[in-house]
Amino acid sequence: MVQVYNCHPFASQHIVPAEQEPGLVCCGGGALFVVSAGGCKIEAYQMQEDQCPLICRFSTMGTVHNILHSKVGDYLVTIEEKNNATYLRAYTNWRYQAAEKTRVGVRLLGHFLRGSSFRGAPKEQMEIIEIPLFEPPLCMACCPLTGDLLVGCAKSLVVFSLKRQALTEQLAMLDFERVLILHLRGWSPSKVAFCAGYIAMQTELEVLVVKLQQLEKTCATPDSNPLLPVDIMAAAGLAEDDVKKEPLTPHEPDDFFVFPKHLELLGENARDCGVLMSLEWTGMETEARNKMGITYVLYRRFAPDFFQGCSVEDTCLHSLQLQLMNTGNREGFSDVSVSEPFCMFCFFSLPNAGYMYSLKNTVELISTYQYPEKSHQAVLCDRFLYVITRNALQCFSVRCSAVAARAEDPYIDTTMKACPPFTMEVCGLRIQLFIGLKSLCHDGNHIVLLTAADVESKEETERTARKSVPRKTSITSKPKEPNDSGHGWNLYVINTVSTLQLYREMVEYSKRYELSQSCVHLLSEAHLLLRAALLSPSRSEAADRVQLQEAFQENCAQLGDCFSRLDKRDFHLALPYYKMSGLTVTEVIHRNVAMFNSAGGEYRKGFLFFLKHSLYEETMEELNEETANTVLDIFTRAEPGQLPHVVSSSFMMKASPAGVLAHLEQLEACGAPSVTLTLCKAAQALRLEDLQLYEQQMDRHAEMLQVYGFIEEPKLLVHGRGKAVVPTQLAQHLHDTQDGLLVAAVVALHENSKVKLEEADLFFQGLCKDSVDSQSTPQLLVDFWEALLVASSQEAIIHELLFRLTSVYIDRITRRDSSGIRALKTADDLINSCSHYGPLFPWVSILTPTHFNITHDHQEDLQKLQSLLCGPTLDVSSILPLLEQLPDTDNAGLSVHVLCATKLGKHESSIERLLDCCPQAIIPYANHELQNDKLVLWWQKLFPELCERTRVSSGENMILLAALKETLVVVAMELNPLEFLDLLPDDGTAHFFLPHLLECSHKNLRT
């Protein structure tokens, strides 16, 4: 049984002054339409005003069996009977009858579209549009977004598109175009629903939901239900009077019925329901003809069953409905919102239970409603489900807003935001007694009830109604007596209360169950009620949006209180609800401390969870001294092991350092010493300016263990995240006294994903902002990059660090201004410890020996740059733009340029550069670089260059002469005598080349 509360969702009621007994009732657009019992007259009443005054009345062309109002287009559509024939008619511009105008125009469907209806001046008159059909209409539905009309017949569903044309500023004419026919095989719907392309149809025990949607032409398959002309469908047998039949047993007795079993098919599985459908496009827009398709969404079949108050024969579905829910930030309905609704729900009901499904994205059952007695009709809206039984109007909660909120906001169900789950058990908010309820309809903030009681047995009816209502609902109001004792019917318009008023009542109601499961349930229902109003506010509540938002935040605070004070499994929800409440952390602390002081006991899990996350996520305001000391007391009492992490938070900086130190010493005395605890004590000693105590604490552990302590609690060094990174007082002191430990700690934080590279950059820049090298890249930051390059194994980080370090080295070599700050690691240290730094090539050492004429600092930077270029990792092409600022006029720049050119494969130009600027390095360069596939450059490039330059110097350049001899030795070993002879210059001195030629010949003879 659904739990029922005694709330008051109904504000007031009026009796409609109808003169004749109503036969049919519908409402929409603020108006109530009453079809008299005779069925040939319609009266329209204004529901927005007290006493429901009459708007107009007009006669119909036949006896009305069904009537429906469309908000879009403000038209009525009826199924009428006359002379044993059934007709479908639409009544447009009916409001003109209020001026007592008798002129009425009658025309066929599409007559206005062909332009022959209004050739004269536009006429302000009601129009009756005849809508011809191949089959008699059984049921109908209007799309609330477009005003399109869906008509259900015995073998098909027909879709009519609403067309509108403004004739003047005040006058608009409507017409319909038949655009689509859905041929059904073996199905005859008793009720249909239509909304945003979704079509729901119902028989006695079956419900099928499909969706019309645009399909790509290339995606068409034989199973895609293509658009078929009538003759093809007839040939395929779809036009036959086939009825879906269940297989019968061979000897089935005539006095038994075989019913199918319960069946539920969701999503793509619904295609296996056995209901065949085909499309026939009849509209004039041919471009859409081959792009329409059917997607099966939901199929549900029930088997008849006995239950209290209902026989098997009475088991029949009713109240099929599609309910759309868009968000409040969508102004009107754009084309996108029409084709793709935000959330779509389908509701249908048996006499004893109602079912609501969500159709968008994942198709699933959202809620099941168990009625306390047999239901006659139900209406679903955004905020409530209204159900009528024989003698009661029941109001149930719904989960539409819970589904819509999750579809709209991806942060729900995270630590940022929360919402009650749609799986939460529904409840009844009110059971209001009436006598002889016959029909129910709903429009905006109004509910319309038609009652018809037997006057002679009225006392017996009231007694039966009282027995059928559960005892817990006996507080409900008394049945309403008919207005006139001369007849046994009444037509009521009931006004619902505003969302804010009902919310406040639910809050007061929840105080009866304070700090219990019923309290949480009722506050959660209030939360969903407010969400529904904020997601899709009605016109009357749009002006109260600010108050709704304030009430929503108040409700979030109340739910936060519940989850923070109850030891529930979902205590973690205190965090997102408090975040949504708009309360500061200080206010939340005071709320829970006050409750703790008044009730005693222990601090609950939810409150501690909220407090820890607020401190660790660094999303709160800085606490004043009193509140910070209160937080210390809370954790000392509830979770003392968290104290080192709590006192390291930047929001606890105003806590008394002496008090913090006392709490930490108390924790240590309890037998819980740790490196992190020692570091926290050292940090508090710095705040107290007690350097002796600081050094005493820092000397208790080796630096490597201290690094592990910083990994466990990064906030000892770094406060803030992103661009708001700030070094702590302890980090500043380590910068001045133990910069090696500081760099090692930050490297460890980065490698353990505690800080990002950009955050580490800001951290060191903040530390060094007042140092002598603040104008350039701080040396401590470069030390960090070098240390991280040694430790990191991430390719992206390695390439980023190589580029940064190369840029710094080149900049420093170019500017040659010294800060006097020594690096933590020398070039030799990096070469020995990091694979990305390679040993210097021999020819590089000749170009820039260790006693090179530059300062020691720049000598180190030069060697580090050369070592990176000699290493295997650096991509030279990525640093070419940086080389433009480095001149090659001295050996330092020359060495870098030649290294880069060599790694890019430009050996010939490198040979020329070295011969021009430093010929003594050419042979070491050739011995190292001209190997394997580059060996031919010895005789193709190096030998001719040396011969030419030696000739120009007249043989007096001993360096070139010695290099030429070394080259001849290599050439003689690699070439045969004939090739060697071809290389010799014509004007060469014989006695100079002859020994090498003889060596070449001997080598050739030996091989």
Side-chain angles (χ1 to χ4, degrees):
M1 183 66 66
V2 175
Q3 184 174 2
V4 180
Y5 299 102
N6 190 31
C7 298
H8 297 81
F10 311 124
S12 61
Q13 67 183 37
H14 303 286
I15 296 178
V16 180
E19 296 179 356
Q20 296 181 344
E21 180 178 356
L24 295 173
V25 175
C26 79
C27 57
L32 169 63
F33 304 94
V34 179
V35 180
S36 60
C40 295
K41 181 183 291 185
I42 296 177
E43 296 178 342
Y45 296 90
Q46 179 60 263
M47 291 194 299
Q48 305 291 347
E49 300 180 13
D50 294 340
Q51 308 305 322
C52 301
L54 179 70
I55 300 176
C56 64
R57 60 168 56 92
F58 52 90
S59 298
T60 61
M61 299 181 67
T63 303
V64 178
H65 293 299
N66 199 350
I67 184 171
L68 194 64
H69 176 268
S70 173
K71 183 177 180 180
V72 179
D74 193 25
Y75 67 87
L76 289 168
V77 60
T78 62
I79 295 178
E80 304 176 9
E81 182 182 0
K82 188 173 184 179
N83 299 328
N84 295 324
T86 306
Y87 301 90
L88 182 68
R89 296 186 174 101
Y91 294 79
T92 66
N93 297 329
W94 55 269
R95 293 183 187 269
Y96 288 132
Q97 296 299 102
E100 300 297 332
K101 295 184 178 180
T102 57
R103 177 184 296 171
V104 176
V106 181
R107 55 188 170 88
L108 283 174
L109 165 117
H111 199 58
F112 168 66
L113 295 178
R114 292 191 290 269
S116 60
S117 180
F118 301 102
R119 293 184 177 176
K123 303 177 180 65
E124 295 182 355
Q125 62 183 15
M126 184 175 76
E127 293 287 323
I128 302 177
I129 303 175
E130 292 277 355
I131 304 177
L133 294 165
F134 292 108
E135 302 176 84
L138 302 178
C139 49
M140 57 194 176
C142 295
C143 177
L145 298 185
T146 62
D148 294 347
L149 177 63
L150 174 70
V151 182
C153 303
K155 302 177 185 177
S156 62
L157 302 175
V158 186
V159 179
F160 295 91
S161 175
L162 177 65
K163 304 295 181 180
R164 182 200 303 255
Q165 182 173 342
L167 301 179
T168 64
E169 293 183 1
Q170 292 81 20
L171 183 61
M173 288 299 164
L174 303 180
D175 206 344
F176 295 90
E177 177 191 2
R178 188 179 66 180
V179 294
L180 192 64
I181 300 177
L182 286 81
H183 296 273
L184 304 176
R185 186 176 183 181
W187 249 60
S188 182
S190 60
K191 188 174 179 60
V192 292
F194 187 35
C195 183
Y198 286 88
I199 295 176
M201 58 199 94
Q202 164 192 303
T203 62
E204 285 191 355
L205 293 173
E206 294 175 280
V207 172
L208 175 64
V209 181
V210 298
K211 184 182 180 183
L212 298 174
Q213 59 184 8
Q214 299 289 330
L215 299 178
E216 293 294 334
K217 189 173 182 179
T218 56
C219 297
T221 64
D223 298 330
S224 298
N225 299 309
L227 304 176
L228 300 177
V230 178
D231 54 346
I232 297 179
M233 290 190 301
L238 294 179
E240 299 176 2
D241 189 14
D242 293 333
V243 179
K244 185 173 60 176
K245 299 179 180 179
E246 297 293 331
L248 303 179
T249 58
H251 306 286
E252 185 175 300
D254 295 336
D255 55 345
F256 285 92
F257 291 97
V258 177
F259 293 107
K261 295 180 179 180
H262 289 284
L263 182 62
E264 180 186 58
L265 300 174
L266 305 179
E268 288 296 325
N269 295 330
R271 183 178 292 275
D272 300 329
C273 65
V275 180
L276 301 179
M277 304 181 69
S278 59
L279 303 181
E280 179 187 357
W281 182 262
T282 60
M284 293 184 291
E285 299 177 0
T286 56
E287 65 272 7
R289 180 183 183 89
N290 296 321
K291 296 182 180 179
M292 294 294 295
I294 295 177
T295 300
Y296 286 78
V297 179
L298 167 68
Y299 175 78
R300 184 75 189 262
R301 182 177 66 200
F302 297 90
D305 198 3
F306 287 99
F307 65 93
Q308 184 179 5
C310 186
S311 63
V312 171
E313 291 77 8
D314 293 333
T315 304
C316 182
L317 289 168
H318 64 79
S319 304
L320 177 68
Q321 184 178 344
L322 289 173
Q323 177 66 30
L324 171 74
M325 191 167 190
N326 279 291
T327 56
N329 55 12
R330 295 191 182 189
E331 298 296 335
F333 297 105
S334 63
D335 293 339
V336 175
S337 65
V338 169
S339 61
E340 289 297 330
F342 199 74
C343 283
M344 184 66 70
F345 304 94
C346 179
F347 177 82
F348 47 87
S349 182
L350 288 170
N352 65 325
Y355 303 89
M356 185 174 76
Y357 284 82
S358 173
L359 305 182
K360 198 72 167 61
N361 300 325
T362 302
V363 182
E364 57 184 324
L365 178 64
I366 299 299
S367 301
T368 300
Y369 297 87
Q370 298 293 335
Y371 307 136
E373 54 183 324
K374 179 182 176 181
S375 65
H376 292 166
Q377 189 179 355
V379 173
L380 175 69
C381 64
D382 289 349
R383 306 173 201 186
F384 301 111
L385 173 68
Y386 301 106
V387 180
I388 59 170
T389 62
R390 181 184 177 188
N391 294 304
L393 167 64
Q394 303 174 6
C395 177
F396 294 94
S397 61
V398 296
R399 300 290 172 259
C400 299
S401 58
V403 177
R406 286 169 171 82
E408 180 196 36
D409 194 342
Y411 289 102
I412 287 181
D413 296 328
T414 67
T415 58
M416 299 296 295
K417 296 180 181 180
C419 178
F422 55 77
T423 55
M424 184 176 68
E425 183 181 0
V426 296
C427 70
L429 295 178
R430 183 75 176 177
I431 296 181
Q432 185 82 29
L433 298 183
F434 286 87
I435 297 176
L437 286 172
K438 297 300 181 182
S439 95
L440 162 73
C441 57
H442 170 269
D443 178 48
N445 296 326
H446 306 282
I447 301 170
V448 178
L449 295 176
L450 174 61
T451 65
D454 186 358
V455 178
E456 296 179 358
S457 60
K458 182 173 61 177
E459 295 179 359
E460 180 182 350
T461 303
E462 292 176 358
R463 184 166 55 254
T464 304
R466 282 195 297 269
K467 290 181 179 180
S468 65
V469 179
R471 183 173 301 274
K472 67 167 66 178
T473 63
S474 61
I475 316 176
T476 53
S477 60
K478 298 180 179 179
K480 305 296 177 181
E481 296 291 339
N483 188 41
D484 185 359
S485 59
H487 61 77
W489 60 268
N490 267 314
L491 190 59
Y492 298 98
V493 173
I494 300 176
N495 299 322
T496 59
V497 302
S498 67
T499 300
L500 285 172
Q501 182 178 342
L502 182 58
Y503 160 73
R504 295 188 182 102
E505 182 188 3
M506 296 172 76
V507 171
E508 288 298 319
Y509 204 121
S510 68
K511 293 179 181 179
R512 304 181 187 181
Y513 313 102
E514 190 170 2
L515 296 181
S516 67
Q517 181 60 40
S518 295
C519 176
V520 176
H521 186 264
L522 201 51
L523 289 176
S524 298
E525 294 288 0
H527 183 94
L528 294 178
L529 180 67
L530 292 171
R531 273 197 182 273
L534 290 170
L535 285 171
S536 54
S538 63
R539 293 180 180 178
S540 60
E541 292 178 337
D544 300 330
R545 190 168 185 83
V546 175
Q547 297 182 27
L548 285 171
Q549 188 63 41
E550 292 175 353
F552 180 78
Q553 291 182 332
E554 178 188 40
N555 174 261
C556 290
Q558 294 164 349
L559 284 171
D561 290 341
C562 289
F563 288 109
S564 68
R565 300 171 188 177
L566 296 175
D567 282 331
K568 293 171 56 62
R569 182 181 59 184
D570 44 4
F571 63 87
H572 61 278
L573 293 176
L575 175 64
Y577 277 120
Y578 273 140
K579 283 185 177 180
M580 294 190 297
S581 70
L583 296 175
T584 64
V585 176
T586 300
E587 292 171 333
V588 173
I589 292 173
H590 290 164
R591 290 168 73 106
N592 283 272
V593 170
M595 185 279 300
F596 173 80
N597 292 335
S598 61
E602 299 178 352
Y603 289 105
R604 304 296 186 176
K605 292 180 180 179
F607 173 56
L608 295 175
F609 183 81
F610 164 78
L611 205 51
K612 284 188 289 186
H613 268 264
S614 299
L615 289 169
Y616 300 161
E617 291 178 357
E618 301 187 346
T619 56
M620 55 186 281
E621 75 281 0
E622 185 175 356
L623 303 178
N624 58 35
E625 182 177 357
E626 179 185 358
T627 306
N629 292 334
T630 301
V631 172
L632 286 177
D633 293 335
I634 291 172
F635 280 99
T636 300
R637 185 188 301 267
E639 293 189 28
Q642 295 293 323
L643 277 176
H645 307 287
V646 171
V647 301
S648 301
S649 173
S650 60
F651 308 107
M652 298 287 292
M653 296 306 296
K654 290 185 179 179
S656 169
V660 172
L661 200 55
H663 283 286
L664 294 176
E665 289 176 350
Q666 179 182 351
L667 175 62
E668 190 173 32
C670 294
S674 66
V675 179
T676 306
L677 179 59
T678 303
L679 292 174
C680 289
K681 292 174 65 177
Q684 298 305 316
L686 278 181
R687 293 184 61 194
L688 291 171
E689 299 182 355
D690 189 345
L691 295 181
Q692 181 179 358
L693 178 60
Y694 166 80
E695 293 174 359
Q696 177 185 348
Q697 297 298 324
M698 294 298 288
D699 291 340
R700 292 177 59 181
H701 302 286
E703 287 192 355
M704 183 55 67
L705 291 177
Q706 291 174 353
V707 169
Y708 289 131
F710 289 125
I711 294 174
E712 187 176 348
E713 186 43 75
K715 287 192 287 292
L716 285 166
L717 296 177
V718 186
H719 283 163
R721 289 296 180 91
K723 295 183 179 180
V725 169
V726 178
T728 64
Q729 184 180 1
L730 178 58
Q732 189 66 56
H733 189 75
L734 290 177
H735 172 227
D736 299 333
T737 58
Q738 293 176 277
D739 49 359
L741 172 60
L742 180 61
V743 169
V746 180
V747 169
L749 293 181
H750 180 274
E751 289 303 287
N752 285 274
S753 303
K754 302 293 186 180
V755 296
K756 298 178 181 179
L757 182 59
E758 294 76 13
E759 293 174 338
D761 294 344
L762 294 173
F763 170 78
F764 283 108
Q765 290 171 0
L767 279 176
C768 304
K769 62 182 179 181
D770 299 326
S771 61
V772 293
D773 61 342
S774 60
Q775 297 300 321
S776 59
T777 304
Q779 179 58 49
L780 195 62
L781 179 56
V782 177
D783 293 332
F784 165 72
W785 290 343
E786 292 173 345
L788 184 58
L789 186 61
V790 175
S792 181
S793 59
Q794 303 177 45
E795 288 294 328
I797 296 294
I798 290 173
H799 290 298
E800 176 66 21
L801 292 174
L802 288 173
F803 180 81
R804 293 185 182 189
L805 289 171
T806 304
S807 176
V808 170
Y809 296 151
I810 291 176
D811 181 65
R812 290 182 176 181
I813 295 169
T814 303
R815 293 191 295 107
R816 296 197 178 186
D817 55 346
S818 176
S819 63
I821 301 176
R822 291 294 184 94
L824 290 177
K825 290 183 179 291
T826 64
D828 291 336
D829 294 335
L830 292 173
I831 291 172
N832 294 329
S833 62
C834 183
S835 61
H836 307 296
Y837 288 87
L840 298 185
F841 301 149
W843 60 271
V844 176
S845 300
I846 295 176
L847 276 173
T848 55
T850 54
H851 58 276
F852 192 60
N853 58 346
I854 58 177
T855 63
H856 174 80
D857 294 342
H858 294 125
Q859 179 75 38
E860 286 292 329
D861 292 327
L862 177 60
Q863 289 186 357
K864 290 176 181 178
L865 177 59
Q866 292 171 338
S867 178
L868 284 178
L869 291 171
C870 294
T873 312
L874 180 62
D875 181 12
V876 174
S877 60
S878 65
I879 66 167
L880 289 180
L882 303 177
L883 293 178
E884 297 177 359
Q885 60 178 311
L886 180 64
D888 59 353
T889 55
D890 58 2
N891 283 6
L894 177 65
S895 65
V896 175
H897 281 276
V898 173
L899 276 169
C900 292
T902 301
K903 294 198 74 170
L904 292 173
K906 300 178 180 179
H907 293 77
E908 297 185 17
S909 62
S910 299
I911 291 172
E912 294 176 359
R913 279 190 174 187
L914 288 177
L915 288 175
D916 290 338
C917 303
C918 188
Q920 61 268 30
I922 190 61
I923 294 303
Y925 174 86
N927 286 330
H928 188 271
E929 302 293 344
L930 304 185
Q931 302 293 331
N932 301 323
D933 59 328
K934 302 297 181 182
L935 189 64
V936 295
L937 294 179
W938 280 92
W939 53 87
Q940 290 183 357
K941 180 63 179 179
L942 181 56
F943 179 72
E945 285 287 340
L946 288 173
C947 289
E948 179 63 27
R949 293 172 187 267
T950 304
R951 181 188 301 108
V952 172
S953 65
S954 302
E956 296 179 358
N957 190 327
M958 301 308 296
I959 297 177
L960 292 176
L961 198 59
L964 180 58
K965 291 180 180 180
E966 292 289 338
T967 304
L968 284 171
V969 171
V970 175
V971 173
M973 293 295 295
E974 298 296 333
L975 300 181
N976 59 49
L978 291 178
E979 292 172 336
F980 188 81
L981 279 173
D982 289 339
L983 287 177
L984 298 181
D986 296 335
D987 57 348
T989 305
H991 70 85
F992 182 81
F993 293 102
L994 186 58
H996 299 286
L997 179 60
L998 292 175
E999 180 62 28
C1000 180
S1001 300
H1002 292 159
K1003 183 266 301 181
N1004 191 56
L1005 288 174
R1006 288 194 299 269
T1007 58

